[in-house]
Amino acid sequence: MHHQHHPRAAEGTSQCSIQPLTFLLYLLTCSGLVASLHVPPSMSSQRSAFSATRSSSITGGIQRAVTFDRLLVNVGHDFNPDTGRFRCRIPGAYYFTFTVGKFPKKLLSVMLVKNGQEVQAIAYDDYRKEGRKVQSQSVMVSLRAMDTVWLLLQENPQYALYSNAGPYVTFSGYLVYPDVSTFAGHINNHLPPPALPFPGCPPPGDSYYGWTRREETLEEPRSAFSMARTSPTLGERSFQQGKQALTFDVEYVNIGGHFNKSSGRFTCHFPGAYFFAFTVGKHPRRAVSVKLMLGKGEVQAMVFDEDTSRRREMQSQSLLLSLQRGDSVWLYSQQDDRYGIYSNQGRYTTFSGFLVYTEAPVGIGRTQN
């Protein structure tokens, strides 16, 4: 990608034509007083994000796709609120989250689908009595160019979703990590490489925080996962030695391979701030208690519902954690026989996480307070 706005010394001219601010940044960078400017691909030219809301209700059977009447964000113009469809322009890993309202005396079933009707996850509530509430779900999905993602309302008049000017219904998504193959030959910095306008500036020792030449590909630390279960799990009366992590059988995304779905544990490889989100389905006749755990069993957050009726509904939770290399993060479902979680092929139970910011190495771009 060529940055037309960057000053470049023409052939046969001196560096005196360099703008003062650019030259100052060059001097500071070369002297090591500040880190080189690094703009990850997803923060520069490769951007895609949307957030939309709906202010009216829909009854099942009238329409399949949930559409939207207010568009809050549409970076890249990849979302069409009139059709409710997001169309992928930039291949990569996308995080999607949605919240839907339950209509009084109606069932709620809204699925996140990819392309035709490939179900990725579901928001569900079978409570038929009076009362309004919301259910949420989130998942990260790997998309190719022209893939579509949308929300599907169950096509039956027994189902409906509720909203008003509040609104109850929201749908958001954004590109977390672009496909690295789309960046070959791009420069991911605001300033031009030192070899072109600034001869004599030594190349930085750290390729992540430094410049990258035009023929090289900048590799930023990447870590992301998104998993789901397609079967329920029930606590047992018998005593089990130690706490067992909740395991998963569906892998949407596992960038870096840092999540082991057989053990149910994510292991940090890059120190930094990570975002985690999980949704669990409540099993009929069972309470639900699921905790987000760090390390050997430090509780970070939890969801809880002590209702033991026949209802099937869901609970969601999310937060940011600061992790060090080797830290593990996992979900623990209470293991005595009063508790359980529900899931099926609709994928009620999901777990996602990704690196938001890496921890800057000591001496690189840090200031003393």
Side-chain angles (χ1 to χ4, degrees):
M1 179 176 61
H2 297 282
H3 297 276
Q4 300 296 334
H5 60 285
H6 293 149
R8 294 179 180 271
E11 292 185 8
T13 63
S14 70
Q15 288 183 354
C16 295
S17 61
I18 298 172
Q19 294 182 6
L21 177 59
T22 302
F23 189 63
L24 175 61
L25 287 171
Y26 150 70
L27 290 175
L28 290 173
T29 299
C30 290
S31 66
L33 296 178
V34 299
S36 306
L37 295 181
H38 169 71
V39 182
S42 58
M43 295 294 288
S44 55
S45 63
Q46 305 291 318
R47 297 182 178 186
S48 182
F50 73 91
S51 191
T53 65
R54 182 183 175 92
S55 59
S56 60
S57 303
I58 310 176
T59 300
I62 295 176
Q63 65 183 73
R64 298 171 67 243
V66 179
T67 55
F68 298 85
D69 52 26
R70 187 181 181 197
L71 194 55
L72 304 176
V73 172
N74 197 13
V75 177
H77 306 285
D78 300 324
F79 184 76
N80 185 336
D82 297 328
T83 64
R85 282 171 165 78
F86 170 84
R87 186 178 299 278
C88 175
R89 175 175 49 89
I90 306 166
Y94 288 77
Y95 182 73
F96 294 96
T97 179
F98 65 98
T99 298
V100 288
K102 194 192 82 66
F103 200 96
K105 296 186 177 181
K106 295 278 189 178
L107 301 173
L108 175 67
S109 178
V110 176
M111 292 169 280
L112 181 76
V113 297
K114 174 181 170 182
N115 296 327
Q117 292 191 28
E118 302 170 31
V119 177
Q120 305 300 303
I122 189 172
Y124 186 87
D125 193 320
D126 64 2
Y127 189 62
R128 287 178 175 270
K129 297 182 180 180
E130 288 285 355
R132 294 170 292 176
K133 63 182 300 184
V134 297
Q135 296 288 357
S136 299
Q137 182 62 276
S138 63
V139 72
M140 185 179 290
V141 181
S142 180
L143 299 181
R144 297 179 178 179
M146 303 305 290
D147 280 347
T148 58
V149 176
W150 47 291
L151 298 180
L152 171 65
L153 175 63
Q154 188 73 271
E155 298 179 80
N156 186 312
Q158 296 183 71
Y159 294 84
L161 63 79
Y162 179 84
S163 196
N164 59 25
Y168 288 57
V169 178
T170 63
F171 186 25
S172 303
Y174 59 93
L175 176 63
V176 177
Y177 291 126
D179 186 332
V180 292
S181 65
T182 63
F183 301 107
H186 285 73
I187 299 175
N188 300 304
N189 296 283
H190 284 304
L191 298 181
L196 296 178
F198 305 132
C201 178
D206 189 327
S207 61
Y208 173 58
Y209 288 95
W211 300 107
T212 183
R213 286 186 171 84
R214 195 172 295 273
E215 66 274 9
E216 298 174 346
T217 300
L218 184 66
E219 294 185 3
E220 56 174 332
R222 294 184 170 201
S223 182
F225 72 90
S226 192
M227 305 287 158
R229 280 187 67 95
T230 59
S231 62
T233 181
L234 301 176
E236 299 177 357
R237 185 178 298 275
S238 60
F239 176 76
Q240 296 185 15
Q241 184 67 35
K243 291 180 170 64
Q244 303 297 315
L246 188 64
T247 58
F248 297 85
D249 58 318
V250 174
E251 180 179 289
Y252 300 106
V253 170
N254 196 8
I255 296 173
H258 302 157
F259 190 91
N260 185 325
K261 66 180 181 179
S262 298
S263 69
R265 292 174 182 263
F266 167 80
T267 302
C268 173
H269 286 65
F270 305 116
Y274 288 77
F275 175 77
F276 295 96
F278 64 98
T279 297
V280 293
K282 192 190 84 65
H283 199 286
R285 302 293 190 188
R286 301 286 181 117
V288 61
S289 175
V290 176
K291 301 177 177 71
L292 183 73
M293 311 291 266
L294 174 63
K296 295 182 179 180
E298 302 172 26
V299 179
Q300 305 299 304
M302 71 180 294
V303 296
F304 184 81
D305 188 343
E306 60 185 355
D307 180 18
T308 55
S309 69
R310 294 180 58 86
R311 291 177 59 182
R312 279 185 297 164
E313 55 181 343
M314 304 164 76
Q315 299 285 342
S316 299
Q317 182 63 276
S318 62
L319 82 169
L320 282 160
L321 292 178
S322 179
L323 301 182
Q324 296 300 313
R325 183 178 179 85
D327 285 346
S328 63
V329 178
W330 45 289
L331 295 180
Y332 168 69
S333 178
Q334 192 72 27
Q335 292 174 346
D336 71 61
D337 60 1
R338 290 185 57 244
Y339 297 90
I341 65 169
Y342 182 81
S343 200
N344 60 22
Q345 293 298 323
R347 305 174 186 178
Y348 289 58
T349 299
T350 61
F351 185 25
S352 302
F354 55 88
L355 175 63
V356 177
Y357 296 122
T358 54
E359 181 180 289
V362 176
I364 298 293
R366 289 189 172 182
T367 58
Q368 298 294 325
N369 292 324

